[in-house]
């Protein structure tokens, strides 16, 4: 590769390999038809999610025919104001959807830019999320889901040893601190202080953007080392964070609650597969419920300390 020879400090071979693998997938509309139908079935329990119908008999490798849907782009704040759509409700539903995709299903829509996510209102007045462009999905193995869930729980719990352990399992080794910052989109100071209790400010975002170029070599090295299943997830995280910043919903407590719950369920789901006796399965189930209860109590306490009693009870409802 010419670029690698000119800039040997930047390890970008992974980028070429991923592009070579993903571009043909995005250009094959038969794969998009398959992805759309699979996503529609997999997430049908979300009554507020709209995945447009596809007309398989009118679609080919070069042409896809889909149901026409209307809505405003997910980052169109004025559209939400004009249509009385709550941006916090939109963010909560997006967070729930993607937590389910990443941590529970391992099947992740990987191009959630604002043009691919629309919003409108359901007949009951609640927000409806419309998910478009199903050409590219990330597929996560149980191993990666489990380790990535463990990493997020460690970040939320300020568990440095846990971050090291799970980052190492995901391939990044000694670069665990930088990797944790890349995953969380937060500074190392915020991670050490607790991302659930430290507001994500504009100042922190600006500092993050200023310092990131200074760490480009290490960032490229991290991306070259990390388990390749996570590359699309990191991209997806950044796109979702951009939407939250536009909607000014990045500091809501509910996002941490939903993510924590999904991470715990993923970890214990993977443990359950290793249980080969009735007693071990029961013990695993009890441990899972105990972990969920502790998380509920913890976020209830944080909500009381940070917001109001009403917010605290609302947080519990998300569990």
């Amino acid at each position: 590769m010419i670029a690698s020879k000119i800039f040997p400090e930047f390890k970008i071979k992974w980028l070429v390999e991923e592009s070579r693998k993903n571009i043909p997938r995005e250009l094959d509309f038969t794969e998009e038809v398959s992805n759309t139908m699979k996503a529609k079935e997999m997430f049908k329990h979300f009554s507020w999610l709209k995945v447009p119908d596809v007309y398989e008999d009118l679609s080919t490798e070069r042409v896809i025919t889909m149901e026409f849907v209307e809505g405003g782009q997910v980052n169109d704040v004025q559209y939400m104001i004009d249509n009385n759509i709550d941006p916090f409700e939109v963010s909560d539903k997006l967070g729930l959807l993607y937590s389910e995709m990443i941590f529970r299903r391992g099947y992740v829509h990987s191009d959630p830019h604002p043009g691919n996510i629309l919003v409108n209102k359901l007949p009951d007045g609640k927000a409806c999320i419309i998910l478009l462009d199903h050409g590219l999905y990330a597929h996560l193995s149980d191993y990666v889901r489990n380790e990535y869930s463990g990493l997020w729980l460690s970040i939320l719990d300020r568990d440095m040893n846990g971050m090291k352990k799970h980052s190492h399992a995901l391939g990044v080794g000694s670069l665990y601190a930088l990797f944790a910052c890349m995953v969380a989109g937060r500074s190392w100071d915020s991670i050490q202080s607790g991302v659930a209790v430290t507001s994500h400010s504009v100042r922190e975002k600006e500092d993050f953007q200023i310092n990131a170029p200074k760490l480009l070599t290490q960032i490229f090295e991290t991306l070259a080392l990390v388990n390749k299943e996570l590359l699309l997830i990191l991209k997806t995280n950044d796109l979702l964070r951009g939407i939250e910043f536009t909607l000014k919903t990045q500091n809501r407590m509910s996002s941490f609650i939903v993510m924590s719950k999904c991470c715990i369920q993923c970890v214990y789901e993977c443990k359950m597969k290793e249980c080969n006796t009735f007693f071990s399965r029961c013990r695993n189930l009890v441990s899972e419920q105990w972990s969920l209860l502790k998380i509920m109590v913890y976020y209830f306490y944080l909500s009381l300390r940070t917001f109001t009693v009403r917010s605290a009870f609302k947080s519990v409802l998300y569990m």
Side-chain angles (χ1 to χ4, degrees):
M1 285 175 55
I2 296 176
S4 296
K5 292 180 179 179
I6 297 175
F7 305 105
E9 68 274 21
F10 295 115
K11 299 180 180 180
I12 58 176
K13 185 178 179 181
W14 61 269
L15 180 59
V16 176
E17 292 173 348
E18 288 301 305
S19 298
R20 184 185 295 128
K21 179 178 69 176
N22 290 328
I23 289 176
R25 291 169 56 194
E26 292 200 75
L27 295 177
D28 182 358
F29 287 127
T30 58
E31 180 159 347
E32 181 166 353
V33 168
S34 176
N35 290 341
T36 304
M37 295 172 68
K38 182 175 180 178
K40 192 176 186 72
E41 175 64 23
M42 185 176 288
F43 304 108
K44 64 182 180 182
H45 56 289
F46 292 134
S47 59
W48 40 262
L49 176 66
K50 173 66 175 176
V51 176
D53 291 329
V54 290
Y55 301 98
E56 197 171 1
D57 56 330
L58 298 176
S59 301
T60 68
E61 289 184 3
R62 299 298 182 190
V63 176
I64 184 169
T65 308
M66 304 182 71
E67 172 189 7
F68 177 75
V69 292
E70 293 186 79
Q73 288 193 1
V74 72
N75 64 342
D76 189 341
V77 177
Q78 190 58 51
Y79 176 87
M80 294 190 194
I81 293 172
D82 293 343
N83 290 274
N84 197 28
I85 296 173
D86 182 0
F88 283 90
E89 182 189 354
V90 170
S91 287
D92 284 340
K93 287 178 174 177
L94 268 182
L96 177 57
L97 174 62
Y98 271 87
S99 289
E100 176 91 0
M101 285 181 171
I102 294 170
F103 302 112
R104 302 298 312 283
R105 304 288 185 164
Y107 187 67
V108 189
H109 181 286
S110 297
D111 199 13
H113 64 74
N116 284 341
I117 303 175
L118 306 182
V119 294
N120 63 22
K121 294 182 75 171
L122 295 167
D124 63 1
K126 299 293 186 180
C128 174
I129 305 294
I130 303 168
L131 198 58
L132 307 176
D133 190 354
H134 299 265
L136 186 61
Y137 270 74
H139 300 261
L140 303 182
S141 63
D142 287 349
Y143 175 81
V144 169
R145 282 196 306 117
N146 186 37
E147 294 297 340
Y148 189 60
S149 295
L151 174 62
W152 258 114
L153 289 173
S154 298
I155 291 172
L156 293 170
D157 198 34
R158 291 177 279 181
D159 177 3
M160 303 304 158
N161 289 329
M163 288 183 227
K164 289 181 184 179
K165 172 189 171 185
H166 295 293
S167 295
H168 186 272
L170 291 168
V172 301
S174 62
L175 293 169
Y176 75 93
L178 176 59
F179 184 55
C181 293
M182 292 167 64
V183 167
R186 303 295 300 272
S187 68
W188 184 241
D189 286 342
S190 293
I191 289 175
Q192 289 179 305
S193 300
V195 294
V197 296
T198 308
S199 295
H200 199 165
S201 64
V202 174
R203 174 65 181 275
E204 182 185 356
K205 182 183 179 184
E206 291 174 348
D207 288 344
F208 202 84
Q209 292 172 335
I210 290 171
N211 290 319
K214 302 175 184 177
L215 298 170
L216 272 181
T217 302
Q218 294 96 316
I219 290 172
F220 273 96
E221 183 178 357
T222 303
L223 293 173
L225 291 171
V226 72
N227 188 298
K228 296 304 175 281
E229 292 180 33
L230 284 178
L231 290 176
L232 286 176
I233 303 303
L234 293 173
K235 168 197 167 187
T236 299
N237 286 348
D238 286 340
L239 289 171
L240 292 172
R241 275 194 286 267
I243 292 171
E244 289 184 339
F245 263 99
T246 301
L247 299 181
K248 302 187 187 316
T249 59
Q250 67 271 22
N251 290 320
R252 68 196 194 286
M253 185 67 68
S254 56
S255 64
F256 298 115
I257 296 171
V258 169
M259 185 185 298
S260 298
K261 180 180 178 180
C262 286
C263 287
I264 288 171
Q265 289 172 330
C266 173
V267 168
Y268 281 96
E269 174 191 317
C270 291
K271 287 182 179 180
M272 185 65 81
K273 293 178 180 179
E274 299 175 359
C275 296
N276 49 23
T277 67
F278 175 75
F279 177 75
S280 62
R281 287 192 290 271
C282 288
R283 184 172 58 185
N284 187 69
L285 183 61
V286 170
S287 296
E288 178 184 3
Q289 295 306 311
W290 175 241
S291 295
L292 290 171
L293 177 61
K294 288 192 293 184
I295 286 290
M296 181 184 71
V297 172
Y298 174 64
Y299 283 116
F300 181 79
Y301 162 72
L302 287 183
S303 296
L304 276 177
R305 198 181 75 173
T306 311
F307 301 107
T308 63
V309 173
R310 182 180 179 184
S311 298
F313 279 106
K314 186 177 179 181
S315 297
V316 171
L317 292 177
Y318 272 96
M319 297 300 290

